[in-house]
Amino acid sequence: MERGKYFFTSESVSSGHPDKVCDRISDSILDEFLKNDKESHVAIETMISKNSVYLCGEISSNYNEINYKKIVTDVLKEIGYNNQWGFDVDNFELVTNISKQSSDINQGVSKTTIEEQGAGDQGIMFGYATDETKEYMPATIIYAHKLIERLEEVRKNNIIENLGPDAKSQVTFEFENGIPKRIDAVVIAQQHSDLWNLEDLRKEIKLKVIEHVCGKYLDENTKYFINATGKFVTGGPLADVGLTGRKIIVDTYGGVARHGGGAFSGKDPSKVDRSAAYAARFVAKNVVANKLAKRCEIQIGYCIGVEKPVSIFVDSFGTGNDEEIEKLVIKNFDLRPGKIIEKLKLKNPIYSKTSSYGHFGRDIFEWEKIIDFN
């Protein structure tokens, strides 16, 4: 049963946020391996601090010609980092500590057939969907992402000049009986140059970003917090250390649904942390899109080296018949790791696109496609 009136908040961060810079680097390295060897096994972690980048992890691949320095440089330049924003893209320290994947893990993952491929690790993965937006995603995280996308658009196209790559957004919706009615508060932190007068910057962001994106949900009582500390000139890696996989709630459902704990970026699809989370979203979205429930959360459990899930759990929060939905899920979706990879085309080099604006709710990915099933 839905609550009456309540408030819920989600946040997002820009591609220039230090953690997201690391996600992008890790996923760009993964893509480079998959372009050249689709059977590559990659688990790469990135850390960025001041003017240094550190790459650590395990990789097994027939491709050995990768230029890590070029990938890191290209990512940073595309995001928008230059010497003005505190990172010297032409002269930075790169430290690598990369080894081969453990043979103990590989023996359970690399089987002769797709059907026999085991999970790359044990763990639990969750997928979620709701009918409160056309994307079948929670309104709070969708609008937090939309604000970040708009901030990046106005920055890169000089619609608002002298903005830096680092930014965060946060949106609080007021709900009535599970339906988003209005936005109660918007929080924006946007890196900027010293050329800006704070009040002028706040007016520009309110008009060209917040009202542009959220207009229909804003009212006279909406509260705005734009660069609330008063100044945000020093940002990015100069201000904060970034790490791969530290924004797992931004990457998923904004805190509305549960999370199994495993990050996505830098991991090839043999790692069920990633592939099974995508599959769980695929299942949950199709349950809701096929009107079997208004909200749906799926949990899938795996054991390392074992091909079939050890458990599948469905919760429609009282909006559907969970036992019947569970039967339909088992009948219509093959959740063995090898079959997930095949169905969702996860050996393609698609991953750098996932590193910003969330992994879910964008129809450019296979796991967002809607199918008919019964």
Side-chain angles (χ1 to χ4, degrees), residues 77-88:
K77 285 183 176 180
E78 198 283 327
I79 288 171
Y81 276 105
N82 52 49
N83 297 346
Q84 178 187 0
W85 302 110
F87 194 96
D88 187 348

Side-chain angles (χ1 to χ4, degrees), residues 175-194:
F175 291 81
E176 289 184 14
N177 299 316
I179 299 172
K181 291 296 185 180
R182 57 179 292 273
I183 290 177
D184 188 65
V186 178
V187 180
I188 297 289
Q190 172 62 59
Q191 186 183 17
H192 60 88
S193 79
D194 266 326

Side-chain angles (χ1 to χ4, degrees), residues 70-122:
K70 183 178 188 305
I71 290 174
V72 174
T73 301
D74 288 349
V75 165
L76 287 161
K77 285 183 176 180
E78 198 283 327
I79 288 171
Y81 276 105
N82 52 49
N83 297 346
Q84 178 187 0
W85 302 110
F87 194 96
D88 187 348
V89 292
D90 298 313
N91 185 29
F92 64 91
E93 178 189 28
L94 178 66
V95 179
T96 61
N97 185 0
I98 298 169
S99 57
K100 285 193 173 184
Q101 184 185 58
S102 165
S103 59
D104 293 349
I105 295 174
N106 190 62
Q107 68 181 345
V109 175
S110 298
K111 299 291 183 69
T112 56
T113 68
I114 289 172
E115 289 76 13
E116 292 177 327
Q117 180 176 329
D121 202 352
Q122 70 179 57

Side-chain angles (χ1 to χ4, degrees), residues 53-69:
V53 177
Y54 305 85
L55 303 177
C56 300
E58 300 80 43
I59 296 174
S60 294
S61 177
N62 290 322
Y63 177 59
N64 299 306
E65 299 177 13
I66 190 165
N67 185 333
Y68 292 110
K69 187 79 176 252

Side-chain angles (χ1 to χ4, degrees), residues 84-85 155 160-167 189-199 201-202 205 226-235:
Q84 178 187 0
W85 302 110
R155 170 176 66 89
I160 302 177
E161 297 181 343
N162 299 308
L163 299 183
D166 196 356
Q190 172 62 59
Q191 186 183 17
H192 60 88
S193 79
D194 266 326
L195 297 173
W196 274 104
N197 170 276
L198 180 59
E199 289 309 313
L201 177 61
R202 285 171 172 167
I205 289 175
I226 303 170
N227 285 17
T229 63
K231 185 179 181 181
F232 185 11
V233 173
T234 304

Side-chain angles (χ1 to χ4, degrees), residues 243-256:
L243 295 170
T244 298
R246 203 158 57 175
K247 287 291 178 283
I248 59 177
I249 300 303
V250 171
D251 285 345
T252 53
Y253 307 103
V256 174

